């Protein structure tokens, strides 16, 4: 019985959201506000029971891992943003997060997204795909080289680079369309199958 | 007339696409799904593993991406269980844990697999890249308990499993960050692990460079990737069923794009003359 109610609620809310395709309306607004409210409640409870209690509360207050006093203080400082007079203190934990994340990412990000990618372009020109790849990389980089006018040979190469970029954007757009249609198909299967039982 | 055609109400386009999708679902045509090499590479990688090898699955998505990633996750899990591989999973996204668990339970029932012996779900831990880094060196430090609070020491399949070393393959079902980017940055780049990617279609093009640079062993993008994987394991599922609707909807969009461009050119010509 609970499952049937759940399916009906999910189906009606899906239709409320779909109604926006016609125009903005109270049903859509209702579903939208409900979603925001439920999400906020869900995340508040989830964060408490799955993040704060197991990672901070239990280890600090039951297992006495006192080193965790430091993140506790940083967390409290972060909340001071809510009080304008002492809000500046929230910059300290923020600085810690920015510094830690930068340090953590710098080397690995450079390695995986720059060095490895550059290395993958050092390939023999014995196959049409490899040749296209090299031309695409070089002309694409040239398109973003702004220290000289894009005229003559450089202009021609930059135009080819722009064509490669357009192909990439087109592929990306095609994939995006596919993703959105997939979501529609998923919802349709739910409505026609689990709700209406006609498939 | 041309002006009218150029300004077709978008609701007409939405309606046509909606109707086409519904018709394709109600009356399936069974259009052929061709398997692409990036998807086949994941399949071959799993095929090459011997029974009782350990595979790590990371469910890094939420209900918004279920339609694309759930069918792929289920197909990969079925393949792993069919090969008698041991699965350990986690979620870098909190809701991914239960979505993944639901798929694990479906496949476990089909193949007679038991929780704690054949598969385990470590649950969610906040931190993304830091979690991956942590489990790469000491899994129990980061996950002393599984997703329902069992002590990981009580799960027989995790005896002697202390980090990512025993895992022959890691597959992430990724809908964004944290996800594949971080698995590649830590597990692949730092520890040399093999990473397979099941991705939402939106972000799939961004990760083809990883595939080309051998930072990924394979890539399955969106519902199409899932349908290809279902073809490979010969168990058609939701993704295969959705391919008719997907193809027809794409056809309608292509026709609208051509139609729009033709009308635009005709209008341009008539206004210049």
């Amino acid at each position: 019985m609970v499952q049937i109610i759940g399916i009906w609620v999910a189906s009606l809310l899906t239709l409320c959201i779909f109604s926006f395709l016609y125009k903005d309306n109270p049903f859509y607004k209702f579903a939208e506000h409900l979603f925001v409210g439920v999400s906020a409640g869900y995340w508040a409870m989830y964060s408490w029971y799955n993040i704060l209690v197991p990672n901070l509360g239990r280890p600090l207050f039951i297992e006495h891992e006192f080193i965790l006093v430091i993140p506790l203080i940083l967390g409290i400082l972060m909340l001071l943003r809510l009080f304008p007079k002492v809000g500046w203190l929230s910059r300290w934990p923020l600085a810690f997060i920015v510094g830690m994340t930068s340090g953590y990412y710098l080397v690995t990000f450079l390695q995986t997204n720059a060095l490895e990618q550059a290395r993958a372009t050092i390939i023999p020109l014995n196959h049409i795909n490899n040749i296209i790849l090299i031309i695409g990389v070089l002309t694409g980089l040239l398109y973003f080289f702004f220290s000289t006018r894009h005229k003559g040979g450089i202009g021609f190469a930059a135009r080819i680079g722009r064509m490669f970029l357009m192909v990439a954007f087109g592929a990306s757009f095609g994939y995006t369309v596919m993703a959105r249609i997939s979501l529609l198909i998923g919802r349709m299967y739910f409505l026609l199958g689990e709700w209406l039982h006609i498939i | 007339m041309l002006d009218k055609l150029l300004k077709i109400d978008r609701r007409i386009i939405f309606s046509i696409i909606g109707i086409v999708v519904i018709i394709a679902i109600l009356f399936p045509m069974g259009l052929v799904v061709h398997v692409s090499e990036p998807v086949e590479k994941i399949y071959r990688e799993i095929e090459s593993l011997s029974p009782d090898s350990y595979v790590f699955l990371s469910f890094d998505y939420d209900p918004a991406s279920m339609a694309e990633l759930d069918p792929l996750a289920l197909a990969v899990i079925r393949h792993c269980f069919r090969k008698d591989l041991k699965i350990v999973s986690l979620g870098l996204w909190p809701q991914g844990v239960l979505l993944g668990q639901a798929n694990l339970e479906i496949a476990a029932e089909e193949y007679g697999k038991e929780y704690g012996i054949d598969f385990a779900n470590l649950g969610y831990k906040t931190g993304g890249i830091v979690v991956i880094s942590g489990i790469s060196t000491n899994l129990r430090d980061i996950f002393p308990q599984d997703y329902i609070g069992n002590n990981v020491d009580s799960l027989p399949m995790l005896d002697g499993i202390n980090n990512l070393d025993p895992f022959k393959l890691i597959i992430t079902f990724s809908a964004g960050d944290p996800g594949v980017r971080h698995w590649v940055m830590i597990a692949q780049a730092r520890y040399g692990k093999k990473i397979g990617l099941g991705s939402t279609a939106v972000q799939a093009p961004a990760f083809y460079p990883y595939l080309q640079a051998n930072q990924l062993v394979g890539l399955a993008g969106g519902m199409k990737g899932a349908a290809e994987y279902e073809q490979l394991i010969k168990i058609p599922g939701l993704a295969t069923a959705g391919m008719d609707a997907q193809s027809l909807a794409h056809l309608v969009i292509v026709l609208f794009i051509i139609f729009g461009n033709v009308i635009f050119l005709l209008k341009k010509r008539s206004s210049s003359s």
Side-chain angles (χ1 to χ4, degrees), chain B residues 35-243:
Chain B
V35 178
S36 60
E37 201 189 338
V39 178
E40 197 170 355
K41 278 180 173 175
I42 300 178
Y43 175 83
R44 283 205 301 263
E45 201 64 47
I46 293 178
E47 271 301 294
S48 69
L49 299 177
S50 52
D52 292 330
S53 296
Y54 278 71
V55 172
F56 203 98
L57 303 184
S58 184
F59 300 106
D60 309 328
Y61 64 101
D62 64 5
S65 313
M66 264 176 78
E68 290 187 275
L69 291 176
D70 248 10
L72 179 66
L74 183 57
V76 168
I77 293 166
R78 279 174 169 154
H79 190 196
C80 290
F81 281 160
R82 194 166 76 185
K83 290 279 300 174
D84 289 325
L85 305 177
K86 307 273 188 195
I87 296 176
V88 178
S89 71
L90 60 69
L92 294 180
W93 291 31
Q95 289 156 316
V97 175
L98 292 180
L99 294 175
Q101 182 64 21
N103 287 315
L104 284 164
E105 283 172 8
I106 292 170
E109 200 176 324
E110 291 170 357
Y111 292 90
K113 301 293 181 184
E114 204 175 320
Y115 186 79
I117 295 171
D118 302 299
F119 67 104
N121 189 342
L122 298 174
Y124 165 75
K125 202 78 163 184
T126 184
I129 192 169
V130 183
V131 173
I132 299 169
S133 188
I135 61 171
S136 299
T137 51
N138 195 334
L139 189 139
R140 282 154 208 275
D141 257 5
I142 308 295
F143 289 101
Q145 297 172 325
D146 71 358
Y147 83 110
I148 40 173
N150 297 318
N151 192 321
V152 291
D153 292 331
S154 68
L155 304 174
M157 70 170 293
L158 291 178
D159 276 351
I161 306 290
N162 299 314
N163 51 39
L164 289 181
D165 279 350
F167 294 93
K168 305 285 184 196
L169 178 65
I170 297 167
I171 298 178
T172 165
F173 303 97
S174 171
D177 285 349
V180 60
R181 204 183 303 276
H182 304 110
W183 279 107
V184 169
M185 280 167 69
I186 301 296
Q188 194 276 331
R190 203 177 284 180
Y191 297 99
K193 304 308 296 181
K194 289 181 175 177
I195 313 279
L197 169 63
S199 168
T200 52
V202 169
Q203 63 163 5
F207 296 112
Y208 272 92
Y210 282 177
L211 187 68
Q212 195 265 333
N214 292 323
Q215 291 164 292
L216 293 173
V217 295
L219 191 161
M223 192 182 259
K224 170 75 163 57
E228 291 175 31
Y229 210 92
E230 287 174 356
Q231 296 288 310
L232 285 165
I233 63 167
K234 297 186 172 56
I235 306 175
L238 206 60
T240 305
M243 275 304 98

